[in-house]
Amino acid sequence: MNPLERYAPLVDDEEAFLAACDRPLPSVVRVNGIKATAERARSALDAEGVGYEVTDWHPGILKMDERGPGTTWPYFHGWLHGQEEVSALPALALDPDPGDVVWDACAAPGSKTTQLADLMDDRGILIGNDNNLGRLSALRHNAERLGVSNLVVTNQDARNYSLKPFGEGIDDSAAIDAFDRALVDAPCSCEGTIRKNPDALDRWTMDHVHSVAGIQKGILRRAVQATRPGGTVVYSTCTFAPEENEAVLDHAVEEEDCELVGWDAPENFETVPGVTEWDGEEYDSSVELAHRVYPHHNDTGGFFCAKLEVTA
Amino acid sequence: MSDEESGANGGAAGGPENDGQRFDRLPATAEDRVVAGRPTREEVVEWWEERYGLSPETWDGHTFWEKGKGKIWAFAGDLVSPNPVEAVGMRVIRARQEHWKPSTDAVQRFCGEATRNVVVLEPEEAERFVRGEDQELERWDGDWGYLVAAHEFEGAREPIGVGLYLHGELRSTVPKGRQEDLS
């Protein structure tokens, strides 16, 4: 059975949904504002005769006509970074300010992390963590190529992340006791990436969904605990499974001091609300504030993104 | 961003030897130096100014760190020191040797404003440089050593990377993984 068929009851147009999941995705790049403006990057691509189309919802996110961007001058200069279109959402939702202390719990290989650095104007402290040491080298390579200098890279299990290396609790003006914002772009069953990676669902099982959901709950809970009251946590996945999305939010709202808050998706980018019922389970009604992204709505991958505020 | 002036080197925890496994903030000045041979913030800022004409304000808001032997990192904030994390900001200089070498990434990021020891390459020369090729470049009559290789790009002088100029030849130090054929 195609696991995607289980989501038919959730989508408005099953046929369009399944057809979109079958189509390959175009190559998409994000302009890196640390090194160039969208205007300069586009002008440089024009000068090289590289075809692209500006997405109708973000001037710095470009769909390339054919070849990947790797063999162009603007890419070599670190003005561009290959990043799937829909994966630009969580950093925009988190909306960090220059000077914030931001935690990216599952950072490698770093597309969203470097986008966060860009939104922070490369100021403040951005802590990119990943539990996989091998993937950290990709994170570091990407960050340095894009000229990011406000990133600290750590290698811990996000579920019991320790702030001790940052001087938690000690009397030092440089010590960090809590984050202002945290992004949990959780490891997931990756159903939404089927258009980029047709093998994504080969090893899909319900057991796997339940097992990653446990990890997701652990990471999201730790993110809420480590973020100051009034701070923001964004939770995202590239899967459609409510077990990994709304159920995880429901668990966090129940167990930790936090609540879902509304967030407007970018203009011209269509999303639908989170679901409050699935497979005999009922979730907290506030999970409707989350955003579901289906491939046939914006011709992107599938995605899920929710914003939480930490309460006292 | 606070502790800049004190240039603490880890206080009681830091020994007089460089511990290559962790990050230590550079001392502000020679007077604050505890670890033998460790460059100071003052020396690092002066080096960029003397060698490449970068104004000291370039580094306002950045702290400098050493990990490994002479690997100097620039970080756009501050942290407690010493620190056992995997990376702090960006690796900017290889120090603790006679001629300090800037990194490709640091030159690309910070040397758009460089005014000294910048060799501006013609389009074909720039492409050869990015492919990692060495080339004769007799027209350069400035210093020997590590230069900023740049080209005119989108209306500005855009740094490409680090060239080692010796005996009329410009050697490309673009790392293997970054070399590209852009012709």
Side-chain angles (χ1 to χ4, degrees):
Chain A
M1 168 200 138
N2 180 351
L4 296 172
E5 286 170 7
R6 73 194 287 260
Y7 307 115
L10 298 180
V11 296
D12 54 339
D13 184 342
E14 181 185 351
E15 211 170 304
F17 168 66
L18 292 174
C21 288
D22 259 346
R23 289 197 298 271
L25 275 184
S27 165
V28 175
V29 297
R30 171 175 57 81
V31 175
N32 172 33
I34 294 171
K35 287 191 165 181
T37 61
E39 290 70 26
R40 279 191 97 202
R42 296 195 317 230
S43 167
L45 287 172
D46 292 342
E48 287 195 49
V50 179
Y52 63 89
E53 188 189 329
V54 183
T55 56
D56 52 12
W57 65 279
H58 197 297
I61 297 177
L62 318 175
K63 291 188 193 192
M64 312 303 285
D65 280 356
E66 283 170 24
R67 61 174 168 155
T71 52
T72 63
W73 273 110
Y75 186 85
F76 180 81
H77 283 307
W79 294 9
L80 303 175
H81 182 68
Q83 177 176 10
E84 197 187 331
E85 184 177 348
V86 71
S87 90
L89 281 187
L92 297 173
L94 194 65
D95 193 25
D97 294 317
D100 277 350
V101 178
V102 178
W103 187 46
D104 190 350
C106 314
S111 293
K112 300 177 189 80
T113 319
T114 52
Q115 187 187 1
L116 289 171
D118 186 353
L119 293 170
M120 296 169 78
D121 292 338
D122 195 31
R123 294 280 167 202
I125 298 177
L126 173 59
I127 300 173
N129 177 71
D130 208 278
N131 69 342
N132 183 326
L133 193 60
R135 284 161 55 102
L136 284 187
S137 63
L139 170 63
R140 284 176 47 181
H141 177 84
N142 284 326
E144 295 205 354
R145 191 182 73 79
L146 297 175
V148 173
S149 72
N150 75 336
L151 176 66
V152 184
V153 176
T154 63
N155 179 217
Q156 293 190 40
D157 184 334
R159 290 172 291 184
N160 47 25
Y161 194 80
S162 169
L163 282 165
K164 287 231 163 57
F166 298 102
E168 181 185 23
I170 70 169
D171 183 22
D172 185 321
S173 59
I176 298 171
D177 290 311
F179 307 120
D180 296 308
R181 295 170 204 267
L183 172 60
V184 177
D185 181 56
C188 70
S189 58
C190 295
E191 296 160 347
T193 67
I194 187 76
R195 300 182 64 183
K196 190 174 61 182
N197 174 14
D199 305 329
L201 300 183
D202 285 356
R203 293 185 309 150
W204 189 97
T205 65
M206 219 37 239
D207 277 350
H208 179 58
V209 168
H210 289 304
S211 131
V212 288
I215 296 166
Q216 291 157 350
K217 287 172 184 168
I219 300 173
L220 181 55
R221 286 187 68 173
R222 182 62 192 130
V224 172
Q225 291 161 4
T227 300
R228 65 167 170 80
T232 302
V233 175
V234 163
Y235 178 75
S236 64
T237 71
C238 50
T239 188
F240 306 111
E243 295 88 344
E244 302 179 50
N245 292 328
E246 288 87 348
V248 174
L249 297 176
D250 179 81
H251 181 79
V253 170
E254 176 74 24
E255 299 291 330
E256 301 294 337
D257 294 325
C258 65
E259 58 190 31
L260 268 288
V261 292
W263 171 67
D264 290 333
E267 206 174 328
N268 295 323
F269 196 89
E270 185 183 347
T271 69
V272 296
V275 298
T276 55
E277 282 179 40
W278 173 251
D279 203 21
E281 301 281 322
E282 206 168 314
Y283 309 127
D284 190 284
S285 63
S286 67
V287 303
E288 283 186 320
L289 293 170
H291 293 261
R292 290 188 152 258
V293 182
Y294 290 116
H296 57 298
H297 286 160
N298 312 280
D299 196 22
T300 63
F303 213 71
F304 182 84
C305 187
K307 185 167 179 169
L308 301 117
E309 185 178 314
V310 178
T311 51
Chain B
M1 222 101 345
S2 49
D3 226 358
E4 209 52 40
E5 301 311 315
S6 75
N9 238 314
E17 297 284 317
N18 178 44
D19 178 346
Q21 299 305 308
R22 67 185 199 196
F23 286 90
D24 282 77
R25 196 190 305 113
L26 298 194
T29 66
E31 282 178 6
D32 304 308
R33 178 160 32 216
V34 177
V35 174
R38 174 164 292 161
T40 66
R41 176 188 175 85
E42 192 173 58
E43 287 164 356
V44 166
V45 171
E46 276 177 12
W47 179 80
W48 285 106
E49 186 175 27
E50 279 171 18
R51 180 76 195 164
Y52 301 111
L54 283 195
S55 93
E57 288 80 45
T58 305
W59 308 105
D60 286 356
H62 280 85
T63 51
F64 292 102
W65 301 75
E66 180 176 23
K67 185 188 183 186
K69 191 166 176 260
K71 285 183 190 157
I72 307 300
W73 303 59
F75 176 59
D78 200 4
L79 296 171
V80 296
S81 173
N83 207 300
V85 295
E86 301 294 322
V88 170
M90 173 191 287
R91 201 168 53 77
V92 290
I93 309 172
R94 184 72 195 237
R96 288 193 188 252
Q97 52 193 13
E98 191 186 348
H99 299 287
W100 289 7
K101 179 185 179 299
S103 72
T104 298
D105 294 310
V107 162
Q108 281 197 355
R109 169 75 164 82
F110 296 106
C111 286
E113 307 295 316
T115 55
R116 278 200 281 283
N117 290 312
V118 180
V119 57
V120 181
L121 301 178
E122 297 300 321
E124 220 168 281
E125 294 168 344
E127 286 167 6
R128 294 186 64 177
F129 189 86
V130 173
R131 283 199 296 270
E133 291 172 18
D134 305 337
Q135 52 193 311
E136 299 292 318
L137 207 71
E138 300 288 353
R139 72 170 185 274
W140 176 255
D141 61 359
D143 283 359
W144 291 19
Y146 294 115
L147 308 181
V148 172
H151 67 155
E152 297 296 337
F153 187 69
E154 283 302 307
R157 180 176 291 184
E158 190 72 16
I160 300 170
V162 181
L164 177 59
Y165 188 81
L166 293 171
H167 310 297
E169 187 185 57
L170 183 70
R171 298 185 190 165
S172 170
T173 74
V174 173
K176 275 222 162 46
R178 297 281 298 277
Q179 294 171 6
E180 288 288 352
D181 187 352
L182 300 177
S183 57

